[in-house]
Amino acid sequence: MTKLSNTALAVDRLRHLVFTGALAAGSDHLEGELAAQLGLSRTPVREALLVLESQGLVEVRPRKGVRITPVSPKDMAEIYDVLTELESLAARRAAEAGYDDAALEILAETIDAMDRALREDDRHAWAKADDQFHTELVRLGQNARIEAIVQLMADQVRRARLVTLYMRPAPVQSNDDHRQVLRAIASGAPDKAAMLHRAHREAAKATLISLLETHHLNHL
């Protein structure tokens, strides 16, 4: 097994431990402890932690170990503000691009997957399809820098949303919002696409922060 694959393996395992809560938000760990837990040497674990730090999941502190980054309602508000601006711009650019139905097929398929997940009451499948919608929307906006910035913040949003996934009502409105954004893009209406996506993200922000505050989930 190569050094690169060991690092990739460490990234995958550490991400899983963070997202499942096995490495609790706000907890502190030593590099050697994590290496022993993963059954890997310290070098790939050290490299993996730097990757996770770039994704906002951990804080690597020289000579003090690693801290699993907490996400507060204030953090989420700031993250959503940035995502709202960048994704709304991506929606505008996608609508200006003149895509045909074939180019928008993946976006449409993610909405179908979200509808199917709600019918089956599978919130995790819904969350996965929702992630895919936003990823594809940003890709269609054809701005590599927007893609990079959004990707940096995506994991923090995903962590907070997984905790609150079954606390909220069924996200039927979210599916409808996505469908309207798709229609605006397909019809070449950039102002409408940007406006609809902005409203969608602002509503999602309000719902998530309300849940975090109501359930006192201040340090996910």
Side-chain angles (χ1 to χ4, degrees), residues 141-154:
Q142 301 183 64
N143 186 314
R145 287 172 176 78
I146 288 180
E147 287 189 68
I149 295 169
V150 168
Q151 185 58 42
L152 281 175
M153 299 183 174

Side-chain angles (χ1 to χ4, degrees), residues 144-196:
R145 287 172 176 78
I146 288 180
E147 287 189 68
I149 295 169
V150 168
Q151 185 58 42
L152 281 175
M153 299 183 174
D155 280 335
Q156 290 141 303
V157 172
R158 195 173 294 117
R159 287 173 68 201
R161 190 175 57 185
L162 283 174
V163 173
T164 60
L165 204 51
Y166 284 91
M167 296 176 183
R168 59 181 292 180
V172 175
Q173 184 59 52
S174 182
N175 290 19
D176 291 341
D177 291 347
H178 289 171
R179 193 171 289 106
Q180 290 182 50
V181 171
L182 172 59
R183 287 171 182 162
I185 293 172
S187 63
D191 288 347
K192 186 174 183 180
M195 177 195 69
L196 288 169

Side-chain angles (χ1 to χ4, degrees), residues 127-149:
K128 180 179 179 180
D130 181 67
D131 285 341
Q132 292 170 339
F133 174 91
H134 288 273
T135 298
E136 178 65 5
L137 174 68
V138 171
R139 188 189 71 80
L140 291 170
Q142 301 183 64
N143 186 314
R145 287 172 176 78
I146 288 180
E147 287 189 68
I149 295 169

Side-chain angles (χ1 to χ4, degrees), residues 3-154:
K3 178 181 176 182
L4 178 60
S5 62
N6 272 332
T7 299
L9 181 61
V11 169
D12 287 343
R13 289 182 178 176
L14 287 169
R15 280 172 56 84
H16 175 75
L17 293 172
V18 170
F19 276 89
T20 59
L23 294 177
S27 61
D28 296 298
H29 305 271
L30 297 175
E31 185 181 284
E33 165 204 339
L34 295 174
Q37 186 173 352
L38 298 179
L40 296 170
S41 65
R42 294 179 65 165
T43 297
V45 171
R46 183 181 304 119
E47 293 170 350
L49 288 169
L50 293 175
V51 173
L52 266 62
E53 185 173 45
S54 74
Q55 297 170 347
L57 297 179
V58 305
E59 178 187 0
V60 179
R61 299 176 296 177
R63 298 179 298 279
K64 292 185 179 180
V66 179
R67 186 168 190 249
I68 309 304
T69 309
V71 181
S72 70
K74 181 178 182 296
D75 292 327
M76 293 311 305
E78 293 177 355
I79 289 168
Y80 262 88
D81 284 346
V82 174
L83 290 178
T84 297
E85 294 300 325
L86 295 182
E87 289 187 0
S88 297
L89 177 57
R92 177 183 296 279
R93 294 291 181 258
E96 292 171 343
Y99 291 118
D100 59 18
D101 289 345
L104 298 176
E105 184 175 358
I106 294 176
L107 205 61
E109 287 174 351
T110 64
I111 298 172
D112 291 339
M114 284 186 280
D115 287 339
R116 184 165 55 253
L118 287 190
R119 287 195 299 271
E120 297 171 357
D121 194 27
D122 187 341
R123 296 288 180 91
H124 289 284
W126 175 86
K128 180 179 179 180
D130 181 67
D131 285 341
Q132 292 170 339
F133 174 91
H134 288 273
T135 298
E136 178 65 5
L137 174 68
V138 171
R139 188 189 71 80
L140 291 170
Q142 301 183 64
N143 186 314
R145 287 172 176 78
I146 288 180
E147 287 189 68
I149 295 169
V150 168
Q151 185 58 42
L152 281 175
M153 299 183 174

Side-chain angles (χ1 to χ4, degrees), residues 189-219:
D191 288 347
K192 186 174 183 180
M195 177 195 69
L196 288 169
H197 193 75
R198 178 180 297 279
H200 164 68
R201 270 307 199 185
E202 288 176 346
K205 168 189 169 183
T207 297
L208 180 58
I209 291 175
S210 175
L211 287 170
L212 295 178
E213 293 176 342
T214 299
H215 294 275
H216 305 291
L217 300 172
N218 294 320
H219 298 288

